[in-house]
Amino acid sequence: MYHDHETIGDRIGRLRERRGLTQEQLAERAGLCVDTVRKLEQGRRLTARLATLNRFAHALDVETSLLIGQPATFEARRDDGDSPSVLALRRAVSPVGDLLPDEPDPEDPPSLGALQDALRSTEGIRRDGRLGAVGSVLPQLINDARAAARSLHGAERRAAHAVLAEAYQVVATTLTALGKEDAAFTAMERATEASRNSDDPRLETVGASTLAWIFTKQGRLEEARYLALRYADAKEPGFRSDPADVSLWGILLLRAATATVRQGEQQHDRVKELLRMATAAAAAIGTDRLDYATPFGPANAGVANVNFLVEMAKSEEAVASARSVPSLHSLPPTWRARFHLDRALAHTDLGQDDRATRALLLAEQDAPEWMRYHGTARRLVTELRSRERRRASPVTELADRLALDG
């Protein structure tokens, strides 16, 4: 169960005591200053960079998401009372029917065209950050795609497997956003199998990119970097490469850089090199594309640069760089929201709470439901509210909309 009143420090302290470690011993294992442990456990700091959390997770032998704390279920949708849950997605990924003798489908499978339209609609909902809605439609999309892949033949069957592979990837990213990386990994195993039975040779590469992100969320940083770079090396484009292949290569480089930046300061030069190559690929494309539900181009490379600067604790550079990101409007709402959250983190680090709040309000404006589920956003709002002296203020009102306790 997710408790908003339980902080990262509470979780670190509880796990540390279970393992019989002192604060000094934990700091030594994690390669961190003991003052960082003390401030988190005492509640004097409510947030920490993912690189720091990854070190704590490794030292405590847990997944990073366990320290962050994520909601276990979707909130009820107010429009129709439907309450999709993680359990519904787990059932879609691992249906009990797989263990039973084949039974005839009670309905005819959808046409291939209808299936492809449903996938595009679902991907759009996910990019908007409407997790409740995507949790409602994904299980049925998976069931429909499985039925079509069983009933169709030849080229249509391979095309149905392509839809199924992408649908499993949407499930994987949704479950990962909710901190359920174990189920997300199972979804990716299914996606890989479906992609190999499809008519689209790029889908396996897309899956590797998604899996690298899941590994990063789990704190399996070296595996994430290795996987992304292995596929990037195999995908490296040439002078006449299709823009979609250049885009996928750039996305893989950014996935590798994301894992690398969280491995600590000694890796920062490598991060800069990966970002330089990705930025060059983005410039070669010239405009932001949307391939396989993932954007890539100059705007996304600029947003990634801001994120890396925040991770490297270069807050002033992050704020300055954020001003020069081109064509931000071309990115999906959740990408823009994450960008504004990074700006808020940088402003908070610089003691500019009002500017941080304004950035958070822009993130909420772009993707309000995404904000309710995003652990870093919730923690940052909690921290800013704790320093707010006024009873009524923009940040306290935001905390109320996010249903934060306290």
Side-chain angles (χ1 to χ4, degrees):
M1 183 71 180
Y2 183 87
H3 299 287
D4 287 321
H5 63 270
E6 187 177 50
T7 66
I8 290 173
D10 293 333
R11 298 184 185 96
I12 289 173
R14 184 175 65 251
L15 290 165
R16 175 181 60 76
E17 291 174 357
R18 284 182 185 176
R19 284 152 179 73
L21 298 172
T22 65
Q23 291 180 334
E24 290 78 7
Q25 288 170 330
L26 174 58
E28 184 177 357
R29 280 193 180 190
L32 296 166
C33 174
V34 70
D35 193 48
T36 300
V37 181
R38 289 172 181 156
K39 285 182 177 178
L40 284 168
E41 291 194 10
Q42 293 170 5
R44 288 185 287 156
R45 282 186 60 183
L46 297 177
T47 59
R49 289 184 175 79
L50 280 172
T52 300
L53 294 178
N54 283 324
R55 290 189 179 191
F56 276 126
H58 182 73
L60 294 167
D61 194 25
V62 297
E63 292 182 351
T64 307
S65 60
L66 185 63
L67 299 183
I68 295 172
Q70 296 282 5
T73 59
F74 296 110
E75 298 171 357
R77 292 172 62 195
R78 296 178 183 175
D79 53 347
D80 59 5
D82 190 16
S83 182
S85 67
V86 170
L87 181 59
L89 295 180
R90 287 186 185 275
R91 285 171 172 162
V93 171
S94 304
V96 68
D98 284 358
L99 304 177
L100 301 175
D102 288 341
E103 296 181 6
D105 290 319
E107 298 179 84
D108 291 333
S111 69
L112 182 59
L115 201 60
Q116 291 169 334
D117 288 344
L119 175 64
R120 299 285 87 80
S121 175
T122 304
E123 288 176 336
I125 292 170
R126 177 70 183 91
R127 290 193 300 273
D128 288 345
R130 293 184 283 137
L131 296 184
V134 85
S136 295
V137 301
L138 267 175
Q140 189 58 51
L141 176 59
I142 293 288
N143 291 337
D144 287 350
R146 284 163 60 95
R150 285 194 299 266
S151 65
L152 297 174
H153 302 280
E156 285 196 331
R157 183 176 187 179
R158 291 191 294 274
H161 272 109
V163 172
L164 183 58
E166 289 197 68
Y168 276 132
Q169 289 181 24
V170 177
V171 171
T173 57
T174 302
L175 286 167
T176 303
L178 293 165
K180 304 300 177 184
E181 296 94 342
D182 59 333
F185 185 85
T186 300
M188 286 309 305
E189 288 182 317
R190 300 272 182 152
T192 299
E193 180 183 3
S195 69
R196 289 172 178 169
N197 289 316
S198 77
D199 59 354
D200 188 343
R202 293 185 178 119
L203 279 173
E204 189 173 343
T205 300
V206 177
S209 171
T210 302
L211 189 55
W213 182 62
I214 293 170
F215 282 163
T216 299
K217 296 286 282 186
Q218 287 181 309
R220 297 166 65 177
L221 303 178
E222 190 55 42
E223 291 167 275
R225 178 168 68 172
Y226 171 78
L227 181 65
L229 289 179
R230 178 176 176 179
Y231 274 84
D233 288 344
K235 196 75 179 177
E236 186 169 359
F239 181 72
R240 296 183 179 179
S241 293
D242 188 287
D245 291 319
V246 179
S247 177
L248 288 179
W249 185 66
I251 291 167
L252 287 165
L253 293 176
L254 292 182
R255 294 286 195 232
T258 299
T260 304
V261 75
R262 295 177 186 179
Q263 291 182 296
E265 185 175 353
Q266 70 278 8
Q267 296 291 338
H268 287 181
D269 286 343
R270 180 59 173 150
V271 174
K272 294 174 184 176
E273 176 62 17
L274 290 168
L275 180 61
R276 184 193 64 76
M277 291 190 293
T279 301
I285 293 174
T287 186
D288 278 75
R289 297 173 52 89
L290 190 65
D291 294 301
Y292 300 92
T294 303
F296 182 75
N300 196 32
V303 165
N305 181 47
V306 173
N307 176 258
F308 298 150
L309 289 170
V310 170
E311 290 285 351
M312 291 187 278
K314 297 181 178 181
S315 297
E316 289 187 358
E317 289 184 44
V319 169
S321 181
R323 300 190 189 104
S324 61
V325 174
S327 304
L328 188 64
H329 65 277
S330 68
L331 296 178
T334 48
W335 264 260
R336 298 198 304 268
R338 177 69 234 200
F339 167 72
H340 291 309
L341 176 56
D342 281 329
R343 290 177 53 236
L345 288 166
H347 284 302
T348 301
D349 194 42
L350 296 171
Q352 300 167 349
D353 288 9
D354 287 344
R355 293 183 180 182
T357 297
R358 288 197 292 272
L360 286 168
L361 292 174
L362 287 174
E364 183 195 30
Q365 180 179 312
D366 278 327
E369 188 172 346
W370 177 90
M371 283 282 285
R372 294 203 299 272
Y373 289 102
H374 200 280
T376 300
R378 296 174 71 84
R379 291 194 307 276
L380 185 57
V381 173
T382 299
E383 180 169 345
L384 291 171
R385 182 185 59 183
S386 72
R387 297 203 290 265
E388 176 58 65
R389 297 180 179 275
R390 296 170 291 176
R391 284 193 174 185
S393 69
V395 74
T396 56
E397 293 169 0
L398 176 58
D400 290 341
R401 291 194 294 276
L402 298 181
L404 294 172
D405 294 335

